Amino acid sequence: MADSEWLSSSSHCSWGFSGVFPGSSQLAFSRAVSYSLPDVVLFCDLQFSSDGVGFCVSTFNIENSTMIGKGNDFASRPTTYKVNGKDIQGWFSLDFKSEELHHVPLIQNTQARSQIFDGLQYMLSLDNVVKIVQPQEIWVNVQYDSFFREHGLCSEDYILGMPKEFPVTWVSSPEVSLLKRLAAKISNNTKLIFRFLPEDLVEPTTKITYGELLKDLKSIKAFASGILVPKQFIWPLNKDLYLDPATSLVKDAHALGLEVYASGFSNDESCISHNYSYDPSLEYLQFIDNSDFSVDGVLTGYPPTASATIACLAHTKCNALSPPGIDTAGGGRPLIITHNGASGVFSDSTDLAYQQAVKDGADIIDCWVRMSKDGVAFCQGSLDLNGSTTAATSFGGKMTIVNEIQNKSGIFSFDLSWNEIQTLKPNLIGPFSESNLNRNPAAKNCGKFMTLAGFLDYAKASNISGILIGIEHAAYLETRGLDVVAAVSNALIKSGYDKETKQHVLIQSEDPPVLSAFMKFPKFKRVFEIEFDIGGVSQPSVFKIKEFANAVKLRRSSAARVDGFYLSGFTDALVDRLHNANIEVYVGILKNEYMNLAFDYWADPMVEIVTDTWSVLADGLVTEFPATAAAYFRSPCSDPEKNELTYTIRPAIPGGLLNLASFGMLPPAPPPAPMLEPSDVHRQPLPLCPTEPMFRTFRCRLAPGAKLAADG
């Protein structure tokens, strides 16, 4: 079982911040205390050395969480034991003296997580956790009492013999006999918790399956004050990873006076329910802030996220969104700007994506205007319909390469009539689907494409702050006899947006002549998109931009520097120089999937939102998941001046993780991003496609022999 952190709606407990640091390490425990609510409880999976010293270690076979089998004095000492009827080979704590275990380095036992702390921290005894970390409370879990008893090591004697100053307030075990023995002897200040394992497994001391025990909670009440269960016991998932209706477990247990704690929470879980749209806070809220019940606690490897959910997000769904700062002088929070609507939930630029975006609290909904062969302007994320629609099944013969647009083949909107396009279906494919992080597969082909006129009609009738119209490849489209600038201008005039006073109009393009063409509409805001990474902007470039734009859209990696998935700094001078010229700065594209996030964001998309808001000082956040941004801005933690809570969501600190790692484990630093010069303003170089998916632009040039993957 992986190391984790315990948090509850009334108290908090943890294995440490194991989502970022090696589980049960001093770093994991101490950062759990520092970054979580004050009443966090550290969770210690107790195992014993041969001389009876209790250690906190996250895996039974300690090879899985340490370097004990990797080229050291212990590498030649594996053993095999029979555990619950099965032979297990590996390295086990009871084969080593405590003095030896204190010198065993710990590692991160989940491959997708940061590895730069491997070997820096050593196994900790429970005594050292108390002395070094000094937690307020500790939860001791004894997973293998029968095994250790068979080999002369008594969990019961150890627990009863702990010094009184040890703040152990919870003891759990999946073994009935241990809890029954402790029930008659342990202090009333310590809660005994029965830990349920998967229903088909057999409890070793009663020889009854955990599924059968689950049906007899009254018998559990005789020796325990609560239960710790896998989260699926409460909110089951179906085979397609959507939530089934909740079970009655929490209400049944509470009716008997049993507390209920849920385990298995992790921000970087690939099998998280699609109902949560890869926002881990939504999963916690499902357990602590629904209209029917609330669990008494959650066990997680990411305690700051659970703390933030409890302190900042619970019971805020009905809070009103504070008004955004529409211009640089207006103050207020950043604009929530969609990228092809709520395209993290529904196929991009469909009616469903826009409806979801408005429902989720977006301020600005966007339409990237494409042209059909017969001149119909419509909304779509790309001129290439091959990926985002089912075009390949019907019009594969129209696959072609247009080098002016991209360096791979595609089926382009200007080669199909509007009637032909309407025969297609949307095709929702997430940027990390190859890693099984699929987006809302039940709605994969749902939704209708919208003409620009239809989009404008829908936007006008919606309660939003405004619209963003994106224009790309205008010069090339002219060679095909399609005037996208005129099509947009005419549509905006026809819908009355040239005289609109309630909603704002943003025109975005990387092409200065396109933006200049809209200067005849003085109320429109012109957004210059910088499609490649920059590390700064020269003053002459700022003057150039001011000639045709009053806002700039930066890539995420231009606003916050990330080296090998670690946050290394902010481009403060870049943003400051633009702000000093009264040029707004929008940052994007934000995505919720943990693979899109630097490790310093703790696999929590809300931490990136907070960082872009308070450290980057972005005026707008461009996101495919507007609900996540809106949830933060509805929370009391989004306004530090009014925040009277004891906990808030903190921005990520550049170098916060890198500075803790040993030099040999650090990733190589990339070359510095270039300064934006005046020549770049009028002719942006197509960027070379980086290797990391999180930094890819939609359009980039490939290195020789490289393959194009998900965009960033």
Side-chain angles (χ1 to χ4, degrees), residues 560-617:
R561 295 193 306 274
V562 177
D563 300 348
F565 285 86
Y566 296 92
L567 185 65
S568 62
F570 300 121
T571 52
D572 299 334
L574 164 62
V575 176
D576 287 348
R577 180 162 279 179
L578 292 169
H579 278 165
N580 289 339
N582 289 323
I583 297 174
E584 293 183 22
V585 177
Y586 305 150
V587 175
I589 303 162
L590 277 59
K591 302 177 176 71
N592 280 5
E593 290 93 343
Y594 71 88
M595 292 185 69
N596 191 56
L597 301 171
F599 287 128
D600 300 77
Y601 297 139
W602 302 340
D604 184 349
M606 199 163 287
V607 175
E608 182 175 24
I609 290 167
V610 173
T611 303
D612 287 341
T613 300
W614 298 110
S615 296
V616 175
L617 300 178

Coordinates of all heavy atoms in Angstrom, one line a residue, residues 560-617:
A560 N 5.9 31.0 -16.5 CA 6.5 30.2 -15.4 C 7.5 29.3 -16.0 O 7.1 28.4 -16.8 CB 5.5 29.5 -14.5
R561 N 8.8 29.4 -15.7 CA 9.8 28.6 -16.3 C 9.8 27.2 -15.6 O 9.8 27.1 -14.3 CB 11.2 29.2 -16.1 CG 11.4 30.5 -16.9 CD 12.8 30.9 -17.0 NE 13.4 31.0 -15.7 CZ 13.4 32.0 -14.9 NH1 12.8 33.1 -15.3 NH2 14.0 32.0 -13.7
V562 N 9.8 26.2 -16.4 CA 9.8 24.8 -15.9 C 10.9 24.0 -16.5 O 11.0 24.0 -17.7 CB 8.4 24.1 -16.2 CG1 8.4 22.7 -15.7 CG2 7.3 24.9 -15.5
D563 N 11.8 23.5 -15.6 CA 12.9 22.7 -16.1 C 12.7 21.2 -15.7 O 12.7 20.9 -14.6 CB 14.2 23.2 -15.4 CG 14.5 24.6 -15.8 OD1 13.9 25.2 -16.6 OD2 15.4 25.2 -15.1
G564 N 12.4 20.4 -16.8 CA 12.2 19.0 -16.5 C 11.1 18.7 -15.5 O 11.2 17.9 -14.6
F565 N 10.0 19.4 -15.7 CA 8.8 19.3 -14.8 C 9.0 19.9 -13.4 O 8.2 19.6 -12.5 CB 8.4 17.8 -14.7 CG 7.7 17.3 -16.0 CD1 8.5 16.8 -17.0 CD2 6.3 17.4 -16.1 CE1 7.9 16.4 -18.2 CE2 5.7 16.9 -17.3 CZ 6.5 16.4 -18.3
Y566 N 10.0 20.7 -13.2 CA 10.2 21.4 -11.9 C 10.1 22.9 -12.2 O 10.8 23.4 -13.1 CB 11.5 21.0 -11.3 CG 11.6 19.5 -10.9 CD1 12.1 18.6 -11.8 CD2 11.1 19.1 -9.7 CE1 12.1 17.2 -11.5 CE2 11.1 17.7 -9.4 CZ 11.6 16.8 -10.3 OH 11.6 15.5 -10.0
L567 N 9.4 23.6 -11.3 CA 9.3 25.0 -11.5 C 10.5 25.7 -11.0 O 11.0 25.5 -9.9 CB 8.1 25.5 -10.6 CG 7.7 27.0 -10.7 CD1 7.2 27.3 -12.1 CD2 6.7 27.3 -9.6
S568 N 11.1 26.5 -11.9 CA 12.4 27.1 -11.6 C 12.4 28.6 -11.5 O 13.3 29.2 -10.9 CB 13.5 26.7 -12.7 OG 13.1 27.2 -13.9
G569 N 11.3 29.2 -11.9 CA 11.2 30.7 -11.8 C 10.1 31.3 -12.6 O 9.4 30.6 -13.3
F570 N 9.9 32.6 -12.4 CA 8.9 33.3 -13.1 C 9.5 34.4 -14.0 O 10.6 34.9 -13.6 CB 7.9 34.0 -12.1 CG 7.2 33.1 -11.2 CD1 7.3 33.2 -9.9 CD2 6.4 32.1 -11.7 CE1 6.6 32.3 -9.0 CE2 5.7 31.2 -10.9 CZ 5.8 31.4 -9.5
T571 N 8.9 34.7 -15.1 CA 9.4 35.8 -15.9 C 8.8 37.1 -15.5 O 8.0 37.7 -16.2 CB 9.1 35.5 -17.4 OG1 7.7 35.2 -17.5 CG2 9.8 34.3 -17.9
D572 N 9.2 37.5 -14.3 CA 8.7 38.7 -13.7 C 8.9 39.9 -14.6 O 8.0 40.8 -14.7 CB 9.3 39.0 -12.3 CG 9.0 37.8 -11.3 OD1 8.0 37.1 -11.5 OD2 9.8 37.6 -10.4
A573 N 10.1 40.1 -15.1 CA 10.4 41.3 -15.9 C 9.5 41.3 -17.1 O 9.1 42.4 -17.5 CB 11.9 41.3 -16.2
L574 N 9.2 40.2 -17.7 CA 8.4 40.1 -18.9 C 7.0 40.6 -18.6 O 6.5 41.5 -19.3 CB 8.4 38.7 -19.4 CG 7.3 38.3 -20.4 CD1 7.4 39.1 -21.7 CD2 7.3 36.8 -20.7
V575 N 6.4 40.0 -17.6 CA 5.0 40.4 -17.2 C 5.0 41.9 -16.7 O 4.1 42.7 -17.1 CB 4.4 39.5 -16.2 CG1 3.0 39.9 -15.7 CG2 4.4 38.1 -16.7
D576 N 5.9 42.3 -15.9 CA 6.0 43.7 -15.4 C 6.1 44.7 -16.6 O 5.4 45.7 -16.6 CB 7.2 43.8 -14.5 CG 6.9 43.2 -13.1 OD1 5.8 42.8 -12.9 OD2 7.9 43.0 -12.4
R577 N 6.9 44.4 -17.5 CA 7.1 45.3 -18.7 C 5.9 45.5 -19.5 O 5.5 46.6 -19.9 CB 8.3 44.8 -19.5 CG 8.6 45.7 -20.7 CD 10.0 45.4 -21.3 NE 11.0 46.1 -20.5 CZ 12.3 46.0 -20.8 NH1 12.7 45.3 -21.8 NH2 13.2 46.7 -20.0
L578 N 5.1 44.4 -19.7 CA 3.9 44.4 -20.4 C 2.8 45.2 -19.6 O 2.1 46.0 -20.1 CB 3.4 43.0 -20.7 CG 4.2 42.3 -21.7 CD1 3.8 40.8 -21.8 CD2 4.1 42.9 -23.1
H579 N 2.8 44.9 -18.3 CA 1.8 45.6 -17.4 C 2.1 47.1 -17.4 O 1.2 48.0 -17.3 CB 1.8 45.0 -16.0 CG 1.0 43.8 -15.9 ND1 1.1 42.9 -14.8 CD2 0.0 43.3 -16.7 CE1 0.2 41.9 -15.0 NE2 -0.4 42.1 -16.1
N580 N 3.4 47.5 -17.3 CA 3.7 48.9 -17.2 C 3.3 49.6 -18.5 O 3.2 50.9 -18.5 CB 5.3 49.0 -17.0 CG 5.7 48.6 -15.6 OD1 4.9 48.6 -14.7 ND2 7.0 48.2 -15.5
A581 N 3.1 48.9 -19.6 CA 2.7 49.5 -20.8 C 1.1 49.4 -21.0 O 0.6 49.6 -22.0 CB 3.3 48.9 -22.0
N582 N 0.5 49.0 -19.9 CA -1.0 48.8 -19.9 C -1.4 47.7 -20.9 O -2.5 47.9 -21.5 CB -1.7 50.1 -20.2 CG -1.6 51.1 -19.0 OD1 -1.7 50.7 -17.8 ND2 -1.5 52.4 -19.3
I583 N -0.6 46.7 -21.0 CA -0.9 45.6 -21.8 C -1.3 44.4 -20.9 O -0.5 44.0 -20.0 CB 0.3 45.2 -22.7 CG1 0.6 46.3 -23.7 CG2 0.0 43.9 -23.5 CD1 1.8 46.0 -24.5
E584 N -2.5 43.9 -21.0 CA -2.9 42.8 -20.2 C -2.2 41.5 -20.6 O -1.7 41.4 -21.7 CB -4.4 42.6 -20.3 CG -5.2 43.7 -19.7 CD -6.7 43.4 -19.8 OE1 -7.1 42.2 -19.9 OE2 -7.5 44.4 -19.7
V585 N -2.0 40.6 -19.6 CA -1.3 39.3 -19.9 C -2.3 38.2 -19.6 O -2.8 38.0 -18.5 CB -0.1 39.2 -19.0 CG1 0.6 37.9 -19.2 CG2 0.9 40.4 -19.4
Y586 N -2.5 37.3 -20.6 CA -3.3 36.1 -20.4 C -2.4 34.9 -20.5 O -1.4 34.9 -21.3 CB -4.4 36.0 -21.5 CG -5.3 37.2 -21.5 CD1 -5.9 37.6 -22.8 CD2 -5.6 38.0 -20.4 CE1 -6.8 38.7 -22.9 CE2 -6.4 39.1 -20.5 CZ -7.0 39.4 -21.7 OH -7.9 40.5 -21.8
V587 N -2.6 33.9 -19.7 CA -1.7 32.8 -19.7 C -2.5 31.5 -19.9 O -3.6 31.3 -19.4 CB -1.0 32.6 -18.3 CG1 -0.2 31.4 -18.2 CG2 -0.1 33.9 -18.0
G588 N -2.0 30.6 -20.7 CA -2.7 29.3 -21.0 C -1.8 28.5 -21.9 O -0.8 28.9 -22.4
I589 N -2.2 27.2 -22.1 CA -3.6 26.7 -21.9 C -3.5 25.8 -20.6 O -2.7 24.9 -20.6 CB -4.1 25.9 -23.1 CG1 -4.0 26.8 -24.3 CG2 -5.4 25.3 -22.9 CD1 -4.1 26.0 -25.6
L590 N -4.4 26.0 -19.7 CA -4.5 25.2 -18.5 C -5.3 24.0 -18.7 O -6.3 24.0 -19.3 CB -5.0 26.0 -17.3 CG -4.1 27.0 -16.5 CD1 -3.5 28.0 -17.5 CD2 -4.8 27.7 -15.4
K591 N -4.8 22.9 -18.2 CA -5.4 21.6 -18.3 C -5.4 20.9 -16.9 O -4.4 21.1 -16.2 CB -4.8 20.7 -19.3 CG -4.7 21.2 -20.8 CD -4.0 20.3 -21.7 CE -4.0 20.7 -23.1 NZ -3.2 21.9 -23.4
N592 N -6.4 20.1 -16.6 CA -6.4 19.5 -15.3 C -5.6 18.3 -15.1 O -5.2 17.9 -14.0 CB -7.9 19.1 -14.9 CG -8.7 20.3 -14.4 OD1 -8.2 21.5 -14.4 ND2 -9.9 20.1 -14.0
E593 N -5.3 17.5 -16.2 CA -4.6 16.3 -16.1 C -3.2 16.5 -15.4 O -2.5 17.4 -15.7 CB -4.4 15.6 -17.4 CG -5.6 15.1 -18.1 CD -6.3 16.1 -19.0 OE1 -6.0 17.3 -18.9 OE2 -7.1 15.7 -19.8
Y594 N -2.9 15.6 -14.4 CA -1.7 15.7 -13.6 C -0.5 15.7 -14.5 O 0.6 16.3 -14.1 CB -1.6 14.7 -12.5 CG -1.4 13.3 -13.0 CD1 -0.1 12.8 -13.1 CD2 -2.4 12.4 -13.2 CE1 0.2 11.5 -13.5 CE2 -2.2 11.1 -13.6 CZ -0.9 10.6 -13.8 OH -0.7 9.4 -14.2
M595 N -0.5 15.0 -15.6 CA 0.7 14.9 -16.5 C 1.0 16.3 -17.1 O 2.1 16.4 -17.7 CB 0.5 13.8 -17.6 CG 0.4 12.4 -17.0 SD 0.3 11.2 -18.4 CE 2.0 11.4 -19.1
N596 N 0.1 17.2 -17.1 CA 0.3 18.5 -17.6 C 0.9 19.5 -16.6 O 1.2 20.6 -17.0 CB -1.1 19.1 -18.1 CG -1.0 20.3 -18.9 OD1 -0.3 20.3 -19.9 ND2 -1.6 21.4 -18.5
L597 N 1.1 19.0 -15.4 CA 1.5 19.9 -14.3 C 2.9 19.7 -13.9 O 3.4 18.5 -13.7 CB 0.6 19.7 -13.1 CG -0.9 20.0 -13.4 CD1 -1.8 19.5 -12.2 CD2 -1.2 21.4 -13.7
A598 N 3.7 20.8 -13.6 CA 5.0 20.6 -13.0 C 4.8 20.0 -11.6 O 3.8 20.1 -10.9 CB 5.6 22.0 -12.8
F599 N 5.8 19.2 -11.1 CA 5.7 18.6 -9.9 C 5.4 19.5 -8.7 O 4.8 19.2 -7.7 CB 7.0 17.8 -9.6 CG 7.2 16.6 -10.4 CD1 8.4 16.3 -11.1 CD2 6.2 15.6 -10.5 CE1 8.5 15.2 -11.9 CE2 6.3 14.4 -11.2 CZ 7.5 14.2 -12.0
D600 N 5.9 20.8 -8.9 CA 5.7 21.8 -7.8 C 4.3 22.2 -7.6 O 3.9 22.8 -6.6 CB 6.5 23.0 -8.1 CG 8.0 22.8 -8.2 OD1 8.4 22.2 -9.2 OD2 8.7 23.1 -7.2
Y601 N 3.4 21.8 -8.6 CA 2.0 22.1 -8.5 C 1.3 20.9 -7.8 O 0.0 20.9 -7.6 CB 1.3 22.3 -9.8 CG 1.9 23.5 -10.5 CD1 2.1 23.5 -11.9 CD2 2.1 24.7 -9.9 CE1 2.6 24.7 -12.6 CE2 2.6 25.9 -10.5 CZ 2.8 25.8 -11.9 OH 3.3 26.9 -12.5
W602 N 2.0 19.9 -7.4 CA 1.5 18.8 -6.5 C 0.4 18.0 -7.2 O -0.6 17.6 -6.5 CB 1.1 19.3 -5.2 CG 2.2 20.0 -4.4 CD1 3.5 19.9 -4.6 CD2 2.0 21.0 -3.3 NE1 4.2 20.7 -3.7 CE2 3.3 21.4 -2.9 CE3 0.9 21.5 -2.7 CZ2 3.5 22.3 -1.9 CZ3 1.1 22.4 -1.6 CH2 2.4 22.8 -1.3
A603 N 0.4 17.9 -8.5 CA -0.6 17.2 -9.3 C -2.0 17.8 -9.0 O -3.0 17.1 -9.2 CB -0.6 15.7 -9.0
D604 N -2.0 19.0 -8.7 CA -3.3 19.7 -8.3 C -3.4 20.9 -9.3 O -2.7 21.9 -9.1 CB -3.3 20.2 -6.9 CG -4.6 20.8 -6.4 OD1 -5.4 21.1 -7.3 OD2 -4.8 21.0 -5.2
P605 N -4.4 20.9 -10.2 CA -4.5 22.0 -11.2 C -4.8 23.3 -10.5 O -4.5 24.4 -11.0 CB -5.6 21.6 -12.1 CG -6.4 20.5 -11.3 CD -5.4 19.8 -10.5
M606 N -5.4 23.3 -9.3 CA -5.8 24.5 -8.6 C -4.5 25.3 -8.1 O -4.5 26.5 -8.0 CB -6.7 24.3 -7.5 CG -7.5 25.5 -7.0 SD -8.9 25.1 -6.0 CE -10.1 24.5 -7.2
V607 N -3.5 24.5 -7.8 CA -2.2 25.2 -7.4 C -1.6 26.0 -8.5 O -1.1 27.1 -8.3 CB -1.2 24.2 -6.9 CG1 0.1 24.8 -6.5 CG2 -1.7 23.4 -5.7
E608 N -1.7 25.5 -9.8 CA -1.3 26.3 -10.9 C -2.2 27.6 -11.1 O -1.6 28.7 -11.4 CB -1.3 25.5 -12.2 CG -0.8 26.3 -13.4 CD -0.6 25.5 -14.7 OE1 -1.3 24.5 -14.8 OE2 0.2 25.9 -15.5
I609 N -3.5 27.4 -10.9 CA -4.3 28.6 -11.0 C -4.0 29.6 -9.9 O -3.9 30.8 -10.2 CB -5.8 28.1 -10.8 CG1 -6.3 27.3 -12.0 CG2 -6.7 29.3 -10.6 CD1 -7.6 26.6 -11.8
V610 N -3.7 29.2 -8.7 CA -3.3 30.1 -7.6 C -2.0 30.8 -8.0 O -1.8 32.0 -7.8 CB -3.2 29.4 -6.3 CG1 -2.7 30.2 -5.2 CG2 -4.6 28.8 -5.9
T611 N -1.0 30.0 -8.5 CA 0.3 30.5 -8.8 C 0.2 31.6 -10.0 O 0.8 32.6 -9.9 CB 1.2 29.4 -9.3 OG1 1.3 28.4 -8.2 CG2 2.6 29.9 -9.6
D612 N -0.6 31.3 -11.0 CA -0.7 32.2 -12.1 C -1.5 33.5 -11.6 O -1.2 34.6 -12.2 CB -1.5 31.6 -13.2 CG -0.7 30.6 -14.0 OD1 0.6 30.6 -13.9 OD2 -1.3 29.7 -14.7
T613 N -2.3 33.4 -10.6 CA -3.1 34.5 -10.1 C -2.2 35.4 -9.3 O -2.2 36.6 -9.5 CB -4.3 34.0 -9.3 OG1 -5.1 33.3 -10.2 CG2 -5.1 35.2 -8.8
W614 N -1.5 34.8 -8.3 CA -0.8 35.6 -7.3 C 0.7 35.8 -7.5 O 1.3 36.8 -7.0 CB -1.1 35.0 -5.9 CG -2.5 35.0 -5.6 CD1 -3.3 34.0 -5.5 CD2 -3.3 36.2 -5.3 NE1 -4.6 34.4 -5.2 CE2 -4.6 35.7 -5.0 CE3 -3.1 37.6 -5.2 CZ2 -5.7 36.6 -4.8 CZ3 -4.1 38.4 -4.9 CH2 -5.4 37.9 -4.7
S615 N 1.3 34.9 -8.3 CA 2.8 35.1 -8.5 C 3.0 35.6 -9.9 O 3.8 36.5 -10.1 CB 3.5 33.7 -8.3 OG 3.4 33.3 -6.9
V616 N 2.4 35.0 -10.9 CA 2.6 35.5 -12.3 C 1.8 36.8 -12.5 O 2.2 37.7 -13.3 CB 2.1 34.5 -13.3 CG1 2.1 35.0 -14.7 CG2 2.9 33.2 -13.2
L617 N 0.7 37.0 -11.7 CA -0.2 38.2 -11.8 C -0.8 38.3 -13.2 O -0.9 39.3 -13.8 CB 0.6 39.5 -11.5 CG 1.3 39.6 -10.2 CD1 2.0 40.9 -10.0 CD2 0.2 39.4 -9.1

